[in-house]
Amino acid sequence: MRFILALAAAGLFAGASLAQDANLPPPELNTQAVPGVMARAVDDVIRPGYHAFEDASGRLANDMGVLCAEPFPKNVDAARHAFAATVEAWSKIEIVRVGPVLEDNRFERILFYPDRKSTGLKQVQAALVKKDETATDMQTLKDKSVAMQGLGALEFILYGTGSEDLTGERDSYRCRYGMAVAENLKWLSGELVRAWDDPNGIQKAWKTPGPDNPLFRDEREAVGELLGVLVHAAESVRDQRLETFYKGEGARAFPKQAIYRRSGLTFTSIEDNLKGIGLLLKRSDMAELLDPEVRSIVSSIEFLLKSVERKAGELDRDVKSDVELSVKDNEARAKLDYILLNAKDLILRLNDQYGGAIGLSAGFSFSDGD
């Protein structure tokens, strides 16, 4: 039963493939549609996504400040709720791993993951033990290791060993360190908002490909960047969100390496990653770049995305966000297998099938090919 949705989606694509192969001329990129697609990607997805992340991290910084001043259980709950909202907002927009987020190590400063050798965790724990005051000021924190200043660090502060100290003394070290992290996230999100909102900055480069453009000399390069965002996002779901802790039936599982396992946001973040892919595909109207005869390719991709999203959501509910339980329970493992299988299928559909249908198959390779 778990493969029915995948087979149904494959059937949708089969029709598209037949249409494409029915003695049609080689596909060519619809260059006239590219500026509109790129503009919608910027204005309807990327900029709103960073604004949502800035809003969420702003509320998080505020709630951490309240918690430090009034260390009561209800304020711990409020701070944790704000943390979850920030993770959800970030997970939708983190798929955009290009542009300003890669400058000044912003991406790693927001989220240092995977941390296979627990380097970041050890640094955060050391700061908490030593009570390093330079970690409690955003201005000095931002110059420290990237692993000490983002979502991973704050998750440990709010949920990790010793988090009961948050309801102890007022303005405790642990809370002040957490507040500095939250303020740092707010600042970083604001930098991303300002970079993408600048009409003469990166949004102009995305919207107007051409020979004088510093990023995209033509429409082909612009669409290559956009499609690359989707492909690499799908790869990240498979490689970094799932295979970091679960590689499939028969392979040893490492649930303690799962992202956001302490806060119970592992499967929520995966679901939001997939939602981010779907939003970029749909709201930018990437189907417009295809010949009408093969636009069902996009429908099949959207169908597959929705089915994988649902499985991630079911996992979140079924195992109560318990990653360790998810790798032990037979039904939960079947859903993990489903996501793994179809995440790989998603990569192929985006990279080979959609890319080929818009004429980017020759000379373009977005996928890692695994």
Side-chain angles (χ1 to χ4, degrees):
M1 289 293 293
R2 56 178 158 164
F3 299 117
I4 289 177
L5 288 175
L7 291 172
L12 284 174
F13 175 72
S17 295
L18 289 173
Q20 187 174 356
D21 294 339
N23 298 317
L24 293 173
E28 293 184 3
L29 178 63
N30 180 2
T31 56
Q32 292 184 340
V34 171
V37 169
M38 298 298 289
R40 287 189 292 272
V42 170
D43 293 334
D44 296 347
V45 182
I46 298 175
R47 290 176 58 215
Y50 282 130
H51 276 275
F53 177 46
E54 182 185 37
D55 290 344
S57 58
R59 290 191 294 272
L60 175 60
N62 179 74
D63 287 350
M64 286 300 301
V66 171
L67 172 59
C68 293
E70 301 176 358
F72 306 137
K74 67 175 184 178
N75 291 335
V76 174
D77 291 342
R80 287 175 173 173
H81 181 77
F83 175 81
T86 303
V87 167
E88 290 175 17
W90 168 250
S91 296
K92 289 187 180 76
I93 195 59
E94 74 168 303
I95 67 165
V96 182
R97 300 192 182 196
V98 295
V101 76
L102 297 185
E103 298 168 6
D104 298 326
N105 295 317
R106 288 189 183 110
F107 191 96
E108 290 78 13
R109 290 165 66 193
I110 294 169
L111 179 63
F112 180 74
Y113 184 84
D115 184 11
R116 292 186 177 87
K117 296 183 179 180
S118 298
T119 303
L121 174 61
K122 292 173 184 175
Q123 291 174 344
V124 172
Q125 290 173 323
L128 290 170
V129 169
K130 297 176 182 177
K131 291 183 167 50
D132 176 7
E133 286 295 333
T134 59
T136 65
D137 185 332
M138 187 196 79
Q139 294 303 320
T140 48
L141 176 64
K142 66 184 178 63
D143 295 325
K144 291 184 175 294
S145 164
V146 295
M148 293 182 64
Q149 52 181 290
L151 291 167
L154 187 52
E155 183 191 32
F156 186 83
I157 290 167
L158 286 171
Y159 297 89
T161 303
S163 58
E164 62 274 7
D165 293 348
L166 292 170
T167 55
E169 63 177 306
R170 182 178 179 182
D171 289 327
S172 67
Y173 175 83
R174 189 182 192 103
C175 193
R176 287 185 293 115
Y177 177 16
M179 185 167 65
V181 174
E183 289 173 342
N184 188 52
L185 290 168
K186 179 182 177 182
W187 170 255
L188 289 166
S189 63
E191 285 191 320
L192 293 170
V193 165
R194 289 187 288 273
W196 279 97
D197 280 357
D198 181 359
N200 295 312
I202 189 170
Q203 67 161 279
K204 181 178 180 180
W206 271 55
K207 293 176 181 180
T208 57
D212 296 327
N213 188 309
L215 294 181
F216 311 123
R217 293 168 296 179
D218 55 30
E219 292 81 3
R220 183 180 173 87
E221 289 187 357
V223 172
E225 180 89 322
L226 182 60
L227 182 54
V229 167
L230 295 174
V231 172
H232 293 307
E235 287 177 343
S236 177
V237 168
R238 181 196 65 185
D239 300 345
Q240 295 185 4
R241 296 299 177 264
L242 279 172
E243 290 195 340
T244 298
F245 75 92
Y246 182 78
K247 294 182 181 293
E249 192 69 33
R252 184 182 176 188
F254 299 90
K256 290 186 177 180
Q257 292 185 7
I259 193 170
Y260 305 127
R261 70 171 179 85
R262 291 182 178 85
S263 56
L265 296 171
T266 300
F267 300 117
T268 295
S269 70
I270 291 173
E271 186 178 9
D272 285 325
N273 286 159
L274 293 164
K275 285 179 180 177
I277 296 172
L279 285 171
L280 187 55
L281 182 68
K282 188 175 185 66
R283 291 188 181 175
S284 61
D285 195 9
M286 291 181 70
E288 189 178 341
L289 300 177
L290 296 172
D291 289 332
E293 295 85 355
V294 294
R295 287 183 180 174
S296 59
I297 290 174
V298 173
S299 299
S300 73
I301 293 172
E302 290 176 338
F303 185 94
L304 182 59
L305 268 169
K306 287 294 183 183
S307 69
V308 180
E309 278 179 41
R310 280 196 296 271
K311 291 298 179 185
E314 289 172 11
L315 272 169
D316 197 26
R317 294 187 295 273
D318 292 352
V319 300
K320 302 291 190 294
S321 305
D322 187 331
V323 181
E324 292 199 35
L325 179 58
S326 75
V327 300
K328 295 176 182 177
D329 180 82
N330 288 336
E331 290 187 13
R333 278 207 317 274
K335 290 172 182 176
L336 288 171
D337 290 333
Y338 180 93
I339 297 173
L340 270 181
L341 174 69
N342 287 282
K344 184 171 184 178
D345 188 21
L346 178 62
I347 295 165
L348 293 174
R349 287 170 188 259
L350 288 165
N351 186 70
D352 300 341
Q353 298 162 0
Y354 181 90
I358 60 174
L360 294 186
S361 57
F364 277 80
S365 179
F366 309 100
S367 177
D368 60 12
D370 298 2

